[in-house]
Amino acid sequence: MSKLGNIGARLYRGEVGYDFIGKRKIWYGVSILITITALVGLAVRGLNFGIEFSGGAVFSTPPTSVSASEAQHKAESAARGHQAVVQKLGGGALRIQISGLDTKQALPVQEELAKDLKVPTKDVNTQLVGPSWGEQIANKAWLGLGIFMVLVVLYLAVAFEWRMALAALIALVHDLTITVGVYALVGFEVTPGTVIGLLTILGYSLYDTVVVFDSLKEASKDITKQSRFTYSEIANRSINGTLVRSINTTVVALLPVAGLLFVGGGVLGAGMLNDISLALFVGLAAGAYSSIFIATPLVADFKEREPQMKALAKRVKAKRAAAAAKEAGQEDAQDGQASGTADGEDDTAVVGQRHQPASRGRGRPSGKRR
């Protein structure tokens, strides 16, 4: 068995473990800090919506020797201050995206771009995108997100219980907030690919959470009939028991996404791959974090407020206190016995030494008889 597999087996059996539930206030504080940072970035910088949402024009040019940065400068100059996004395509062709342009503004920009890039005007293909189309996409995305959230809550409430459903919902909102905040902070463009990525990460985030919840549900069955563990301790054992599995699935999922983000998007300049891969990368990492450090600790907090769980915690505490007192009493008794034995040994040694010369004195005359 591999070293990681051995650790996973020991975590599953409860031989080793980390107290996630006991240190939950630390993780709550970290999550609050990250969420506040994301919200501040969202409020200060806002989201950089693509032309699919804000409207604009897309210009496709034939192969040219002009670099992407130079073409961006020329495009913004031709568009009179409108923001431009330039993507270098295969063979040297350019895709120039300028937001906020209408039909009347697009034609002069097309002509000036052709002149600056030294290509024929008729070879510069222009495509206009109206903001109404992006608004429809956004509305459908919000509708899909709302339906997904409702279905998730209903499923978890039926399959598990409403406390787990509420904790999972908070974890999902946590993941979405962090992902959207990262988009605002790094300034990546929000496109339909971003929406696809955001909707995709919800399933991944929920998967890790359900795995832990399923283990917790099985472990906490008939929990009130025993007095060895509290609910929080069983929840902590469930997290540790599924920890290696959660790490493995997250790493395996993040590797290809990281390839898309850093290789496909960063090195090859693969446009929409950046939008989808960034949402997936941040969302997967946040989902793995929230399932371990947010969702399950929240369930433990909710459950520990129940009268039955409070009574169980008192029984467990009382039983452990009695066991500790009994163990302390046994140790005192053993120390007393050990002390008595040591004193007895010392007395015996002294008596032996006192009688030994007398014995020798009595034996000597008998030895000299003839």
Side-chain angles (χ1 to χ4, degrees), residues 138-207:
N139 292 335
K140 291 180 179 179
W142 283 112
L143 179 61
L145 179 61
I147 295 174
F148 177 84
M149 292 291 191
V150 171
L151 293 177
V152 164
V153 171
L154 291 176
Y155 168 75
L156 292 178
V158 173
F160 300 99
E161 59 174 304
W162 68 267
R163 296 169 186 82
M164 291 184 176
L166 180 59
L169 181 62
I170 294 174
L172 288 176
V173 174
H174 166 273
D175 300 340
L176 286 175
T177 303
I178 292 177
T179 306
V180 173
V182 169
Y183 261 86
L185 290 172
V186 302
F188 266 40
E189 193 176 32
V190 178
T191 66
T194 305
V195 176
I196 295 172
L198 288 174
L199 294 176
T200 304
I201 64 173
L202 297 178
Y204 281 105
S205 175
L206 188 63
Y207 171 77

Side-chain angles (χ1 to χ4, degrees), residues 52-272:
E52 293 87 356
F53 295 100
S54 61
V58 179
F59 302 95
S60 301
T61 71
T64 176
S65 59
V66 179
S67 64
S69 58
E70 186 180 356
Q72 181 179 1
H73 177 72
K74 293 180 181 297
E76 291 179 349
S77 176
R80 304 296 187 271
H82 290 274
Q83 187 177 7
V85 177
V86 179
Q87 179 186 353
K88 195 82 171 180
L89 303 178
L94 295 174
R95 183 179 184 271
I96 303 173
Q97 180 179 297
I98 303 177
S99 59
L101 292 182
D102 54 22
T103 305
K104 294 181 180 180
Q105 295 171 321
L107 183 58
V109 172
Q110 178 188 9
E111 294 175 350
E112 190 167 348
L113 276 176
K115 180 180 178 181
D116 293 338
L117 299 177
K118 298 179 181 179
V119 295
T121 303
K122 62 182 180 62
D123 292 341
V124 179
N125 184 29
T126 304
Q127 180 181 1
L128 295 175
V129 179
S132 59
W133 185 72
E135 185 178 356
Q136 292 177 2
I137 293 178
N139 292 335
K140 291 180 179 179
W142 283 112
L143 179 61
L145 179 61
I147 295 174
F148 177 84
M149 292 291 191
V150 171
L151 293 177
V152 164
V153 171
L154 291 176
Y155 168 75
L156 292 178
V158 173
F160 300 99
E161 59 174 304
W162 68 267
R163 296 169 186 82
M164 291 184 176
L166 180 59
L169 181 62
I170 294 174
L172 288 176
V173 174
H174 166 273
D175 300 340
L176 286 175
T177 303
I178 292 177
T179 306
V180 173
V182 169
Y183 261 86
L185 290 172
V186 302
F188 266 40
E189 193 176 32
V190 178
T191 66
T194 305
V195 176
I196 295 172
L198 288 174
L199 294 176
T200 304
I201 64 173
L202 297 178
Y204 281 105
S205 175
L206 188 63
Y207 171 77
D208 279 339
T209 303
V210 169
V211 168
V212 181
F213 282 0
D214 186 64
S215 175
L216 177 57
K217 178 184 177 182
E218 187 67 24
S220 61
K221 188 177 180 180
D222 298 329
I223 184 176
T224 56
K225 296 181 180 180
Q226 54 86 44
S227 57
R228 293 181 59 195
F229 304 106
T230 64
Y231 189 90
S232 294
E233 291 170 344
I234 291 180
N236 194 69
R237 291 168 64 93
S238 298
I239 295 177
N240 282 280
T242 58
L243 182 62
V244 173
R245 178 179 178 180
S246 297
I247 293 175
N248 287 338
T249 55
T250 301
V251 170
V252 169
L254 280 177
L255 287 177
V257 175
L260 287 175
L261 179 60
F262 299 110
V263 179
V267 178
L268 302 178
M272 189 176 288

